Amino acid sequence: MQCYRVAPDKEASRWMITIGNQDLEELFIYKDEAIAEAILLAKANSPSKIEICDEAHEVVDKRKY
């Protein structure tokens, strides 16, 4: 099962999606944009899961598709 993680970058200025240990190249200004893209990726590669992190990199939500 593929795991997509939505978390802020090192400077906490943008949001990124990580697949396993690999970061996607696209960065998002808004958390909601990154979550929407992660959902599309997860649905296209089902079964998958998404972990959504807060600014402190703590997982606050988990979803399965």
Side-chain angles (χ1 to χ4, degrees):
M1 180 179 293
Q2 193 78 329
C3 180
Y4 298 89
R5 176 173 260 204
V6 176
D9 63 2
K10 292 178 184 177
E11 293 82 29
S13 61
R14 296 185 184 228
W15 292 86
M16 60 187 202
I17 300 170
T18 303
I19 304 169
N21 292 330
Q22 181 180 4
D23 297 338
L24 293 182
E25 291 185 18
E26 186 174 3
L27 295 175
F28 301 88
I29 295 172
Y30 300 106
K31 182 179 182 178
D32 291 339
E33 292 176 328
I35 293 170
E37 181 66 21
I39 290 171
L40 291 174
L41 291 168
K43 285 182 176 180
N45 297 293
S46 183
S48 296
K49 66 180 180 175
I50 299 174
E51 294 180 343
I52 302 169
C53 300
D54 61 11
E55 288 80 3
H57 292 271
E58 299 292 325
V59 177
V60 294
D61 191 11
K62 293 182 181 181
R63 303 177 187 181
K64 291 185 180 180
Y65 295 95

